[in-house]
Amino acid sequence: MFGWFKRKPAQPVTPGGDFSQVGDEAFAGLHILVDLWGVHPRRLSEPHSILRTLERAAEAAGATILFSNAHSFEGGGVSAVVILAESHITIHTWPERGVATLDVFMCGKCLPSKTLSVFRDHFRPEAIHWQEIKRASTKIEKNARTPVFLVGE
């Protein structure tokens, strides 16, 4: 039913100082971007329930919660954030469209892929798209040749 679970995230991750290590690649952490479609509007409009879901997801991934907050917008949308010792989880919802976007970034020994089943179980989406990015990867750093331009230059 949810084929997105078949894709294996970059695991196992071995922490190395402040960075994680997979083979010869070191990186700051794993960043997962998740889009949910076909979610019942009620599930996308309840800030307390959404915040508890993000906190459960953080716990499932082995993260340490430092702070959490949610805000409801006129019309029913919710934005919420859970600040972690290992980084963050955020969500923005559009109940009128049945859509939610989530952002999960974690470093250290946390397993951000473990948040996906928590999101699936709570939101019960019809469709899910997610991608995983290794942040500040040494493979990218070694191969980077693109000049960086700052705004205003």
Side-chain angles (χ1 to χ4, degrees), residues 20-126:
S20 295
Q21 188 83 32
V22 175
D24 65 346
E25 180 180 14
F27 51 93
L30 295 173
H31 201 155
I32 297 179
L33 305 176
V34 183
D35 297 330
L36 308 176
W37 289 280
V39 180
H40 191 283
R42 183 181 46 77
R43 293 188 175 280
L44 298 174
S45 303
E46 300 172 339
H48 180 76
S49 175
I50 289 171
L51 199 55
R52 292 298 142 305
T53 299
L54 299 187
E55 291 170 346
R56 281 194 311 275
E59 291 165 359
T64 304
I65 298 170
L66 300 177
F67 173 80
S68 59
N69 197 18
H71 177 80
S72 293
F73 293 95
E74 193 173 313
V78 173
S79 288
V81 61
V82 177
I83 303 298
L84 309 170
E86 301 82 6
S87 200
H88 67 272
I89 301 175
T90 63
I91 187 171
H92 303 284
T93 73
W94 291 266
E96 70 280 8
R97 294 186 176 267
V99 172
T101 60
L102 294 112
D103 177 343
V104 180
F105 180 48
M106 296 179 183
C107 58
K109 295 180 181 181
C110 294
L111 299 173
S113 60
K114 298 227 176 204
T115 63
L116 297 171
S117 61
V118 177
F119 300 149
R120 181 204 61 204
D121 292 347
H122 174 78
F123 294 107
R124 300 181 191 162
E126 292 175 6

